[in-house]
Amino acid sequence: MYVTPDGRIVTEPTTPGCASEAEVERRRSALRTITLSERQQEEDCSICLDPHAERAALIPACNHYFHNACMERWLEEKNACPLCQKIVAP
């Protein structure tokens, strides 16, 4: 048994920073896609620092949102919010 950096217990260790496709899909399924207000669209994505578009990926655990593509890439490496480190998919 091994403990992952995000606190999960697994039977086999994985390559650090490289989640399996099934794990990435599980993380992605925890996200919600939302429509942003005009004010929210003026803010920048905290991952890439570009302005938001009309739609974004929301992490329900903390209500932080990011570009969909940015979050998909982020979840390949980590299972925590880039801002507050709350777990995306327990």
Side-chain angles (χ1 to χ4, degrees), residues 5-58:
D6 60 7
R8 292 176 299 109
I9 298 174
V10 296
T11 56
E12 295 292 325
T14 58
T15 305
C18 186
S20 70
E21 286 187 36
E23 178 65 17
V24 172
E25 185 55 38
R26 186 179 73 80
R27 294 173 183 179
R28 287 180 182 157
S29 68
L31 298 176
R32 290 188 12 226
T33 300
I34 60 169
T35 301
L36 299 176
S37 68
E38 287 184 26
R39 185 179 118 325
Q40 290 170 317
Q41 290 178 39
E42 293 173 2
E43 297 173 4
D44 294 337
C45 172
S46 299
I47 297 174
C48 70
L49 304 178
D50 285 339
H52 278 290
E54 184 178 334
R55 311 223 359 116
L58 174 79

Side-chain angles (χ1 to χ4, degrees), residues 60-75:
C62 60
N63 289 324
H64 289 129
Y65 51 90
F66 310 89
H67 288 130
N68 287 311
C70 292
M71 260 327 282
E72 287 185 12
R73 176 68 177 105
W74 182 269
L75 293 175

